[in-house]
Amino acid sequence: MANLISLDSIKPVARAEAMREALESGGCSSSSCGSSDGPTDMDPAVWAKVKDHPCYSEEAHHYFARMHVAVAPACNIQCNYCNRKYDCANESRPGVVSEKLTPEQAMRKVIAVANEVPQLSVLGIAGPGDACYDWRKTKATFDQISQQIPDIKLCLSTNGLALPDHVDEIARMNIDHVTITINMVDPEIGAKIYPWIFHNHRRYEGVEASQILHERQMLGLEMLAARNILVKVNSVMIPGVNDQHLLEVNRVVKAKGAFLHNIMPLISDPAHGTQYGLTGQRGPRAMELKALQDQLADGTKLMRHCRQCRADAVGLLGEDRGQEFNLDLLPEEVAYDPSKRDAYREIVAVERGEHQAHKKGAEAGLAAVEAAPAVLVAIATKGGGRINQHFGHASEFQVFEASPEGISFVGHRKVDQYCQGGWGEDATLDGVIAALEGIDVVLCAKIGDCPKDSLAAAGIEVSDAWPHEWIESGIAAWYLATHRAEVRLSA
Ligand code: CLF
Ligand code: SF4
């Protein structure tokens, strides 16, 4: 038997209360679901490897941070989207690395960050060149740090050319996470992306170069998968060059054992001086990227929360605290103190349980809606899985798709921060509105009347009715209030 309640005439805060009741009735109780924070469809051994990794688990990225140390400046290939003066675009947004580090300097920096950033769970080496080509420094860095901070996860990113030479050592060093950037499985397409490679003491060009790179990438992927090392494949989406070809890349890497596929948009600002930037090759629009990702929804698990971080990034994905930890700001001697990280992990274990329970409850609430459209919801969040940021303070919005089928994370939109300490620039707001193309509603902790009216004029609703609510609960409350006058509750 079903009960029917009307949400239409209820004010937003009261609606949230009504929603809470609906969710508790429609979903599981928090006490029964709160302790279960692992997905039911994943091998427990795999879940143990990914559950605190902000890149390999979308859920973990709300709670855990990574840091990169820029110890590997040398590279053995040339990508048309890279200018060597800038970070490796495989794993980083173009922008100069503040400082390249020796392994000893990296050690000092990692300990300082681990003492101050309790969310830190992963140490990555992602350039600014290639971590496998510059192997001596990569290995020395990981060896030293894993001795001092044994519970930190080690992660590396590579173009794959030198990878097969180091897979056995990677396995011995307990590196569980390796990213290979694979932009093609057809060397004819590769020749449009890579002008040359340097391999076995010689330089190769054209299709021959891409043929060698392709074979080495496939070999490295197979070797890692055979050793149960989790491989993430990054692909740069280059419209007109490899965009539709990435469907084939996805099929091939999935067959060879990749765990995750991350399709990233080409960044090709002419100011970065890259070949693509200088020749006018454009990157994809946000909706083009989403359309391609949606075509791959049945393939290898897709990563949609990548932030294309710098090779010296520090912090939660989407924030960069690297400048706080420049070497000249750090003491010469620093001893590792695990107390903040230990305390944080205890809190997160509880928070994650609650978050999962509320997410299930929210989805159960949506499932009670009979026929309503899928909508895109942009969330202003500082992390922790909650709607907890003012609209004007956001430098990115997390985007979720909501429908009676459920709520899923589909990406993020970077914006320039609108609020400049009490006032906002119209031009900045125009840029924010453009970045929110296709978004139906923005949920934030607070917004002023002025920007709210401008967004409304552009056809984008904004609501601050659910400040500090769990993201999924806020989305479900808005969705039910907007798309349905009646909610069916189980008796
Ligand atoms: Fe760094 Fe990469 Fe490891 Fe993550 S980043 S080496 S897997 S710890 Fe993450 Fe940054 Fe995207 Fe890379 S968000 S660019 S996928
Ligand atoms: Fe640049 Fe990285 Fe490509 Fe090397 S692998 S050319 S550093 S983007």
Side-chain angles (χ1 to χ4, degrees):
M1 194 177 154
N3 293 331
L4 297 175
I5 62 170
S6 169
L7 292 181
D8 265 0
S9 58
I10 308 176
K11 292 211 167 5
V13 174
R15 262 192 252 136
E17 278 307 311
M19 181 63 206
R20 242 173 242 129
E21 280 179 32
L23 298 181
E24 281 165 13
S25 174
C28 52
S29 75
S30 59
S31 60
S32 62
C33 288
S35 60
S36 170
D37 60 358
T40 50
D41 59 347
M42 200 182 283
D43 177 339
V46 174
W47 176 240
K49 287 181 184 175
V50 303
K51 74 180 179 59
D52 295 346
H53 195 306
C55 303
Y56 279 67
S57 160
E58 187 270 313
E59 190 221 342
H61 102 283
H62 295 296
Y63 303 106
F64 289 101
R66 50 69 184 111
M67 76 174 288
H68 292 162
V69 284
V71 296
C75 190
N76 49 356
I77 71 175
Q78 179 63 58
C79 307
N80 279 334
Y81 46 73
C82 177
N83 175 349
R84 292 289 161 80
K85 285 191 294 188
Y86 292 86
D87 289 358
C88 174
N90 282 341
E91 285 284 306
S92 55
R93 148 174 33 97
V96 280
V97 180
S98 306
E99 50 192 6
K100 291 172 191 148
L101 305 177
T102 65
E104 291 68 32
Q105 290 168 329
M107 175 85 218
R108 190 149 64 93
K109 183 165 176 172
V110 175
I111 290 177
V113 172
N115 288 354
E116 289 305 318
V117 180
Q119 299 99 331
L120 182 70
S121 64
V122 176
L123 171 67
I125 297 182
D130 186 77
C132 282
Y133 182 57
D134 224 341
W135 179 250
R136 195 180 50 77
K137 292 184 209 138
T138 296
K139 183 175 184 321
T141 303
F142 277 155
D143 281 347
Q144 289 184 36
I145 290 167
S146 58
Q147 278 184 9
Q148 292 278 327
I149 311 178
D151 67 333
I152 201 162
K153 291 185 191 308
L154 306 179
C155 192
L156 72 77
S157 170
T158 174
N159 61 45
L161 184 59
L163 172 62
D165 301 335
H166 303 294
V167 168
D168 285 329
E169 267 181 300
I170 286 170
R172 277 199 299 276
M173 291 160 69
N174 292 324
I175 298 172
D176 286 330
H177 304 85
V178 174
T179 294
I180 314 173
T181 297
I182 300 177
N183 296 320
M184 54 83 199
V185 291
D186 175 351
E188 296 283 345
I189 292 176
K192 299 176 190 164
I193 303 171
Y194 306 104
W196 57 260
I197 67 166
F198 189 74
H199 179 58
N200 280 346
H201 312 291
R202 67 159 280 218
R203 181 178 159 120
Y204 296 84
E205 296 181 354
V207 175
E208 186 185 16
S210 286
Q211 178 69 38
I212 295 167
L213 178 63
H214 167 59
E215 287 168 8
R216 301 282 291 174
Q217 288 176 334
M218 296 301 110
L219 177 62
L221 168 55
E222 287 170 339
M223 291 173 75
L224 289 167
R227 289 158 179 79
N228 294 321
I229 293 168
L230 298 180
V231 181
K232 174 165 66 64
V233 169
N234 279 2
S235 298
V236 181
M237 179 181 176
I238 310 162
V241 175
N242 72 346
D243 43 353
Q244 285 308 304
H245 178 62
L246 291 179
L247 299 171
E248 176 66 2
V249 172
N250 181 267
R251 190 190 65 73
V252 171
V253 301
K254 177 187 173 194
K256 290 184 182 292
F259 176 74
L260 199 58
H261 193 187
N262 172 27
I263 298 183
M264 312 183 297
L266 171 72
I267 298 172
S268 62
D269 186 334
H272 299 151
T274 65
Q275 177 66 15
Y276 280 152
L278 295 173
T279 55
Q281 170 64 54
R282 73 174 180 94
R285 290 169 31 239
M287 294 303 281
E288 290 175 318
L289 176 66
K290 180 178 182 303
L292 179 65
Q293 289 172 330
D294 288 348
Q295 287 185 68
L296 296 171
D298 294 335
T300 306
K301 287 188 184 61
L302 279 187
M303 177 183 187
R304 296 186 189 235
H305 59 283
C306 176
R307 301 304 200 277
Q308 293 175 277
C309 344
R310 294 169 55 99
D312 55 5
V314 174
L316 293 169
L317 303 191
E319 73 172 6
D320 192 355
R321 300 181 56 183
Q323 300 302 319
E324 295 172 40
F325 298 96
N326 282 345
L327 276 187
D328 55 6
L329 300 175
L330 305 181
E332 282 300 324
E333 296 281 328
V334 49
Y336 176 48
D337 172 4
S339 56
K340 284 188 183 167
R341 291 177 71 233
D342 289 347
Y344 179 76
R345 271 178 286 187
E346 280 181 30
I347 294 167
V348 165
V350 175
E351 282 274 300
R352 285 178 96 166
E354 280 184 24
H355 189 182
Q356 284 303 305
H358 281 264
K359 184 176 177 192
K360 283 181 185 167
E363 293 191 326
L366 291 188
V369 181
E370 270 150 22
V375 296
L376 291 180
V377 187
I379 304 291
T381 177
K382 291 187 282 190
R386 294 184 186 266
I387 304 164
N388 55 9
Q389 191 169 42
H390 287 212
F391 174 85
H393 295 168
S395 56
E396 68 165 40
F397 291 90
Q398 294 189 8
V399 179
F400 292 76
E401 188 165 276
S403 76
E405 306 297 310
I407 300 172
S408 54
F409 181 92
V410 295
H412 70 285
R413 304 284 177 88
K414 282 190 197 301
V415 296
D416 289 332
Q417 193 175 310
Y418 168 61
C419 180
Q420 302 295 329
W423 55 280
E425 286 261 10
D426 285 348
T428 308
L429 187 56
D430 290 345
V432 175
I433 290 170
L436 293 174
E437 178 200 4
I439 298 294
D440 295 284
V441 62
V442 176
L443 301 184
C444 56
K446 191 80 189 154
I447 184 168
D449 289 340
C450 236
K452 190 173 184 176
D453 291 346
S454 298
L455 277 124
I460 302 170
E461 183 182 337
V462 187
S463 175
D464 54 10
W466 295 280
H468 303 283
E469 182 56 275
W470 294 108
I471 289 171
E472 291 83 1
S473 301
I475 291 173
W478 173 84
Y479 191 93
L480 290 174
T482 303
H483 286 279
R484 183 163 150 66
E486 295 173 332
V487 180
R488 180 174 297 135
L489 300 176
S490 303

